[in-house]
């Protein structure tokens, strides 16, 4: 897609995703200081009168209206690199996730921008990372990065934003990844849904992108309907679970309770890694909840560490799939992260990271996010073997995500 004549193009400086958030605070009118955030959020409540009563009251927008191009000068500004560097002189992918999340929000605000209003009455938050496909496994730490993206589909209150990341090398920009995020619009206090501008595709290329967005929505509905948390496994999946069970029976005792681990295998219960984060104000977003990009970075790093420990070597990311943001994470929360290798095939490792907040006073746990990552190792990895029915469902769910990602 060709960019519009007047496009918003800016440079991410040392603060990376934080620079994006500062720009968003200007649009929203949120506080930059934790000490006066409550007053700032109370003031936003007065913006409710600016909300549209229906989607028909809002002017249609084109895809070019939301087009953004963002540069991350890792090559031309060496002082920026340290924040993005790993010990092995590669780029921290968790930082890239933070930048993508901020960019998706900014794209959505560009689509809904009203020149007559000084501030946006909308609270736009990440609902789902539909998919991130890696087109190149190596991100070089000393080459400039370019992000581009725009809105490709809208519902009444939701927005799909597609983004592309490329890196300047050997005299040209080469593709690194493609990402699809789903955002939702809420009222100024982030309590109820709000309408967004309809999208009017211009030409066959944009119409194709819009239809792909419709197909993505239908696919998500079908996957949710077929969730193993709602319906029983298919006949084929039940056979897989039973075969796994039979392969672990102890032939000497012929007992349902006596299980033996097959060669080159690991029990699923032994392929976990857990972490804890105390959610400080420093990691807040413009609405004074924990920044979604921070959650994605922490979950990714835990998932990567688990895949690394399981496979015995540094894994490469293949795809991020179906990250669902179920509940916001409040400042001061205790965030519990649990990573589980749930499926393996050849040299592929499928990892699921579950995050929940824990209230030490009420002792209650609430799920906030579920993350799915597909990694590939330099060598074949052990087979992961479930022992309980619950683990078998995790195994099947991991297999579904793997098949959808790798395309089997």
């Amino acid at each position: 897609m060709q960019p519009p004549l007047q496009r918003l193009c800016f440079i991410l400086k040392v603060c990376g995703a934080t620079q994006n958030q500062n720009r968003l605070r200007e649009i929203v009118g949120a506080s930059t200081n934790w000490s006066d955030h409550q007053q700032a959020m109370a003031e936003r409540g007065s913006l409710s009168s600016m909300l549209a009563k229906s989607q028909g009251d809002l002017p249609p927008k084109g895809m070019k209206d939301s087009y953004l191009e963002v540069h991350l000068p890792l090559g031309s500004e060496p002082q920026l690199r340290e924040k993005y560097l790993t010990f092995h002189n590669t780029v921290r992918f968790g930082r890239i996730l933070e930048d993508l999340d901020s960019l998706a929000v900014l794209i959505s605000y560009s689509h809904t921008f009203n020149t007559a209003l000084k501030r946006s009455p909308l609270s736009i938050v990440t609902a789902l990372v539909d998919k991130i496909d890696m087109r190149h496994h190596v991100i070089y730490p000393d080459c400039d990065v370019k992000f581009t993206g725009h809105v490709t589909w809208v519902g009444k209150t939701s927005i799909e934003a597609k983004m592309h990341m490329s890196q300047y090398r050997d005299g040209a920009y080469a593709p690194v990844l493609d990402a699809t995020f789903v955002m939702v619009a809420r009222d100024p206090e982030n309590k109820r849904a709000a309408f967004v501008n309809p999208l009017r595709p211009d030409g066959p290329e944009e119409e194709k992108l819009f239809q792909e967005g419709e197909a993505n929505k239908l696919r998500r509905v079908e996957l949710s309907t077929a969730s193993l948390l709602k319906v029983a496994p298919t006949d084929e999946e039940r056979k897989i679970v039973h075969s796994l069970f039979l392969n672990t029976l102890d032939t000497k005792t012929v007992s349902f309770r006596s299980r033996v681990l097959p060669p080159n295998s690991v029990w699923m219960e032994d392929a976990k890694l857990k972490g804890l984060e105390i959610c400080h104000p420093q990691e807040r977003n413009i609405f004074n909840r924990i920044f979604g990009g921070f959650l994605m970075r922490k979950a990714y790093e835990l998932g990567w560490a688990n895949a690394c420990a399981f496979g015995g070597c540094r894994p490469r990311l293949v795809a991020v799939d179906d990250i669902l943001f179920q509940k916001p994470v409040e400042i001061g929360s205790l965030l519990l992260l649990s990573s589980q290798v749930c499926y393996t095939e050849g040299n592929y490792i499928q990892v699921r990271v579950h995050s929940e907040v824990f209230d030490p006073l009420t002792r209650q746990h609430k799920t906030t996010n579920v993350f799915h990552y597909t990694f590939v190792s330099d060598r074949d990895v052990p087979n992961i073997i479930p022992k309980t029915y619950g683990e078998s469902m995790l195994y099947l769910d991991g297999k579904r995500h793997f098949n959808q990602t790798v395309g089997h």
Side-chain angles (χ1 to χ4, degrees):
M1 153 173 199
Q2 294 298 318
L5 294 177
Q6 294 182 339
R7 66 188 180 190
L8 178 57
C9 182
F10 60 94
I11 305 297
L12 288 173
K13 296 292 187 182
V14 175
C15 45
T18 306
Q19 182 75 13
N20 256 1
Q21 291 194 60
N22 288 339
R23 296 180 64 86
L24 289 170
R25 283 192 174 94
E26 295 174 7
I27 295 171
V28 174
S31 168
T32 57
N33 299 312
W34 171 246
S35 59
D36 59 0
H37 77 282
Q38 289 182 328
Q39 179 182 347
M41 293 307 292
E43 291 174 355
R44 273 191 59 76
S46 64
L47 302 177
S48 294
S49 60
M50 299 180 180
L51 292 174
K53 305 300 182 188
S54 70
Q55 191 176 40
D57 294 337
L58 295 169
K61 295 287 188 75
M63 292 187 185
K64 293 181 176 63
D65 293 321
S66 61
Y67 180 90
L68 295 182
E69 181 175 308
V70 181
H71 292 263
L72 181 62
L74 295 178
S76 53
E77 296 191 16
Q79 68 273 20
L80 174 64
R81 293 178 200 158
E82 187 169 334
K83 181 179 178 180
Y84 285 81
L85 272 181
T86 70
F87 172 75
H88 295 274
N89 202 38
T90 58
V91 171
R92 296 173 61 183
F93 188 75
R95 292 294 189 194
I96 300 300
L97 289 174
E98 289 183 321
D99 292 340
L100 287 171
D101 189 55
S102 288
L103 181 58
V105 177
L106 194 53
I107 286 171
S108 300
Y109 273 116
S110 298
H111 174 77
T112 58
F113 185 69
N114 185 335
T115 54
L117 301 178
K118 293 183 179 180
R119 282 194 251 166
S120 174
L122 296 177
S123 301
I124 296 178
V125 296
T126 308
L128 174 74
V129 177
D130 187 61
K131 199 169 187 182
I132 300 176
D133 287 316
M134 302 300 298
R135 300 181 64 182
H136 194 269
H137 290 300
V138 178
I139 305 176
Y140 301 98
D142 55 353
C143 297
D144 285 0
V145 167
K146 180 173 68 175
F147 298 95
T148 60
H150 59 88
V151 171
T152 51
W153 175 89
V154 300
K156 290 185 177 181
T157 62
S158 57
I159 295 173
E160 180 189 270
K162 283 190 181 296
M163 294 165 286
H164 309 280
M165 174 181 167
S166 56
Q167 192 160 39
Y168 192 79
R169 189 167 175 83
D170 298 328
Y173 277 99
V176 175
L177 63 81
D178 302 318
T180 304
F181 281 48
V182 178
M183 321 301 289
V184 292
R186 313 276 289 174
D187 69 0
E189 298 176 279
N190 195 14
K191 292 182 178 179
R192 59 184 177 84
F195 294 107
V196 299
N197 299 69
L199 182 64
R200 179 179 293 165
D202 181 16
E205 183 181 351
E206 292 189 2
E207 184 63 38
K208 181 182 178 182
L209 288 173
F210 188 84
Q211 292 303 322
E212 288 175 357
E214 288 282 356
N216 288 338
K217 177 187 175 182
L218 293 175
R219 172 179 52 81
R220 290 191 291 266
V221 171
E222 291 174 358
L223 289 174
S224 176
T225 303
S227 169
L228 292 166
L229 291 171
K230 297 178 181 178
V231 297
T234 64
D235 287 342
E236 181 182 353
E237 289 174 333
R238 285 195 287 265
K239 291 177 181 178
I240 291 173
V241 170
H242 195 63
S243 176
L244 287 168
F245 173 73
L246 292 178
N247 288 338
T248 61
L249 284 179
D250 188 348
T251 56
K252 297 178 181 178
T253 61
V254 195
S255 168
F256 286 116
R257 300 186 64 178
S258 182
R259 310 283 291 277
V260 175
L261 189 65
N264 191 34
S265 300
V266 175
W267 290 120
M268 187 178 285
E269 63 185 16
D270 296 325
K272 295 180 180 179
L273 199 59
K274 296 190 176 185
L276 166 69
E277 294 291 333
I278 301 175
C279 298
H280 296 293
Q282 180 185 11
E283 307 300 343
R284 73 190 189 279
N285 62 15
I286 55 177
F287 304 113
N288 293 298
R289 267 114 175 210
I290 293 299
F291 172 44
F294 170 79
L295 300 174
M296 285 195 283
R297 173 164 63 87
K298 289 298 181 180
Y300 169 79
E301 290 175 350
L302 183 68
W304 182 90
N306 197 11
C308 182
F310 182 84
C313 61
R314 294 174 57 81
R316 302 187 307 275
L317 180 69
V318 175
V320 180
D321 178 42
D322 193 23
I323 296 179
L324 181 62
F325 289 79
Q326 297 183 17
K327 293 182 183 297
V329 178
E330 303 290 345
I331 305 297
S333 299
L334 296 181
L335 181 69
L336 305 178
L337 296 166
S338 179
S339 171
Q340 173 72 72
V341 175
C342 54
Y343 181 77
T344 56
E345 185 172 317
N347 60 341
Y348 287 96
I349 307 171
Q350 187 71 33
V351 178
R352 179 183 190 269
V353 179
H354 176 266
S355 73
E356 60 184 5
V357 290
F358 171 63
D359 188 329
L361 301 180
T362 63
R363 314 296 293 178
Q364 289 186 334
H365 294 254
K366 292 183 180 178
T367 297
T368 59
N369 303 82
V370 180
F371 306 83
H372 301 274
Y373 304 105
T374 306
F375 296 98
V376 64
S377 177
D378 291 335
R379 66 189 76 149
D380 283 352
V381 298
N383 298 313
I384 198 76
I385 305 294
K387 188 180 288 186
T388 67
Y389 186 81
E391 289 179 348
S392 296
M393 295 304 100
L394 285 177
Y395 180 92
L396 293 179
D397 187 59
K399 188 176 189 302
R400 288 182 179 185
H401 282 284
F402 173 78
N403 289 343
Q404 183 174 324
T405 297
V406 181
H408 286 188

